[in-house]
Amino acid sequence: MQEKSALSVKGIVKRYPGVTALDNINLEFLKNEVHAICGENGAGKSTLIKILTGAIQAEEGTIAIEGIERKSFTPFEAMFKYGIAAIYQEFNLVPYLSIAENIFLGNEIKKKDGFLDIRKMNQEAKNALDILGIDLDPRVKVQSLTIAYQQIVEIAKAISHNVKILIMDEPSAPLTTNEVDKLFELVRNLKKRGVTIIYISHRMAEIFELSDRVSVFRDGRYINTFITAETDKKELIHCMVGRELLETFPQRKCKPSEIMLSVENLSSVENIKDITFSVRAGEVLGFGGLVGAGRTELVRAVFGADKVTGGTIEINGKKVAIANPVEAVKLGLGLIPEDRKQHGIISEMSIKENISYSSFKKVSRMRLIIPKYLKEIADKYKKLLNIVTPDIEKKIKELSGGNQQKVVLAKWLATDCQILLFDEPTRGVDVGAKQEIYELINKLAEDGKAIIFISSEMPELLGMTDRIIVMHEGEITGELTKEDATQEKILQLASGE
Ligand SMILES: Nc1ncnc2c1ncn2[C@@H]1O[C@H](COP(=O)(O)OP(=O)(O)OP(=O)(O)O)[C@@H](O)[C@H]1O
Ligand SMILES: [Mg+2]
């Protein structure tokens, strides 16, 4: 049976200076379908979503909602009139408001006397969180939540309105396996209730598990739509990148040698408890665990970003005191953070300046910045990581999400760090660029650097590391060798059993 059209776009064009983000897009989304959209970083996926939610306007083309054509609408109309809600790559939560206040922002429940019905809003927020199976107090302020929990609040916000079309822009990226399962359950329930889900993802496995149809974008152009059951990973990837791509993890041509970083009984104010481990030159040491396990907090403590309350850190056999990140960098440590918006980039600066930001020595002579060096380094990493932009002088905030992540990586690769702490380095990065990052990490290891690799994506954690340490609630619950490690074993240790 042919399902009815929920939403369709015709001839959509959107240009930015130097790029055509969307070039004559025609596409139809049906009622009761999960419609995946995939494509490389900068393909135009998020731009389409922003047009569908009224956040930005297309220059040409129309949008038809249940058959009625419109040129454009406001975000308010999109949400409250047409029931189009989106969960963006970058969240829209107000940090100093509570979960419930965020959920009902702009749509507050009022009592008869006109005052806010706080109790009712807390109750309804709790209901939405319960549907998601998440035990959170709706009165808690959003700023105290981790990325994964902020994401959950975004989803709760969308479902608490009468949503007809729910757009998710890489919703699973910050979540771990258990939460992703919950997310899928929720998506399937919403679909049963007649909601159209538009699901953007770089993870092939998810697209195949969840979607009914999948559309591919490349360089601002619509390429094709497939019935998911009738296509395969190879065909999709080929369509996305326009060439064949390896699906395996690249092999490293090196063996771990001497210990470079050794951490003993480390504890921090952020609930890191008694952590002991070491990592060798040429080694990639993985850290697995669920959201909230303390992996990010651990690397922050090592990097001097959080206050350490006990324990010792040795670099190359010498005991060191790292009071802040500046000292950490001086000692040859680099942290590539998971939350690039907060800790990774300076949005008002250009791509070029962001890349060289931590390599002052390399781009300057006698404390003066040499523009030529600045450009050389930026050009080198733009090419190496395939950062898609017409011009490295552009502000970093104009890049697509995945390309911003590549700039953060470039910044740390440009410094000569000996010990690199990667926190979810491939989050939001497309299949082609993932492969490039894996190869880069291997090359760094082969150059004798010690690497810590935090990842919530099981295949890459298993495929990229020499050893995996698993954490739960700020403590280490086990360690697995490459030969021993399986997804099941990691999950078991991660749940603290
Ligand atoms: N505000 C902006 N100003 C200038 N250019 C922009 C702006 N927003 C997006 N672009 C450009 O439009 C193109 C499409 O970007 P978009 O964010 O839609 O990509 P995407 O498919 O969502 O990629 P990703 O997978 O990395 O999130 C990119 O080349 C990007 O640099
Ligand atoms: Mg995007």
Side-chain angles (χ1 to χ4, degrees), residues 137 143 146 170 179 252 264 266 324 432 473 476 485:
D137 183 344
Q143 64 197 6
T146 61
E170 291 179 48
E179 280 144 336
R252 263 192 300 284
E264 225 165 293
L266 193 75
N324 54 52
E473 292 184 352
I476 289 176

Side-chain angles (χ1 to χ4, degrees), residues 201-358:
S201 178
H202 287 297
R203 297 184 181 170
M204 287 293 129
E206 296 189 344
I207 291 177
F208 282 95
E209 193 177 335
L210 202 59
S211 73
D212 301 300
R213 294 196 302 158
V214 47
S215 293
V216 182
F217 281 43
R218 185 164 81 223
D219 296 333
R221 281 189 290 272
Y222 164 80
I223 304 292
N224 208 346
T225 300
F226 300 93
I227 293 174
T228 312
E230 294 173 3
T231 183
D232 57 28
K233 201 168 151 184
K234 206 166 156 215
E235 184 175 36
L236 273 193
I237 291 179
H238 191 260
C239 217
M240 271 164 58
V241 299
R243 63 190 149 95
E244 298 293 332
L245 208 67
L246 286 175
E247 283 178 32
T248 49
F249 292 92
Q251 292 298 311
R252 263 192 300 284
K253 295 181 216 62
C254 64
K255 288 257 169 317
S257 54
E258 73 281 5
I259 291 178
M260 284 183 92
L261 171 73
S262 159
V263 169
E264 225 165 293
N265 307 110
L266 193 75
S267 302
S268 87
V269 288
E270 294 295 332
N271 249 350
I272 290 305
K273 286 168 258 169
D274 203 20
I275 300 285
T276 299
F277 71 91
S278 61
V279 52
R280 294 169 181 274
E283 183 178 38
V284 180
L285 173 62
F287 275 88
L290 302 178
V291 168
R295 295 170 299 167
T296 294
E297 289 74 11
L298 171 60
V299 287
R300 283 178 58 83
V302 172
F303 196 60
D306 288 340
K307 199 171 166 359
V308 166
T309 50
T312 55
I313 298 175
E314 282 181 14
I315 291 177
N316 295 325
K318 269 225 267 334
K319 203 167 148 190
V320 292
I322 306 175
N324 54 52
V326 176
E327 285 176 15
V329 172
K330 273 193 199 144
L331 289 164
L333 285 167
L335 170 67
I336 297 89
E338 80 176 316
D339 185 352
R340 56 178 174 261
K341 211 171 168 195
Q342 246 184 30
H343 307 291
I345 61 172
I346 301 166
S347 18
E348 292 304 323
M349 278 196 191
S350 72
I351 297 164
K352 185 178 82 179
E353 289 159 340
N354 267 285
I355 291 180
S356 323
Y357 192 73
S358 299

Side-chain angles (χ1 to χ4, degrees), residues 26 40 44 83 102 171 243 286 304 384 407:
N26 299 300
E40 288 187 291
N102 265 288
R243 63 190 149 95
L384 199 65
V407 173

Side-chain angles (χ1 to χ4, degrees), residues 14-80:
K14 176 74 194 174
R15 296 185 194 92
Y16 288 111
V19 261
T20 305
L22 292 173
D23 187 3
N24 189 26
I25 305 293
N26 299 300
L27 190 55
E28 185 177 45
F29 303 101
L30 305 175
K31 283 194 177 150
N32 287 70
E33 80 165 336
V34 178
H35 193 130
I37 298 182
C38 63
E40 288 187 291
N41 295 132
K45 305 176 299 289
S46 297
T47 305
L48 179 70
I49 298 327
K50 285 179 194 150
I51 290 170
L52 293 179
T53 57
I56 58 171
Q57 255 83 54
E59 274 132 53
E60 292 166 36
T62 54
I63 304 157
I65 301 165
E66 293 180 350
I68 301 163
E69 273 191 16
R70 287 171 182 84
K71 248 226 67 91
S72 66
F73 37 74
T74 65
F76 191 85
E77 284 173 324
M79 176 91 126
F80 299 114

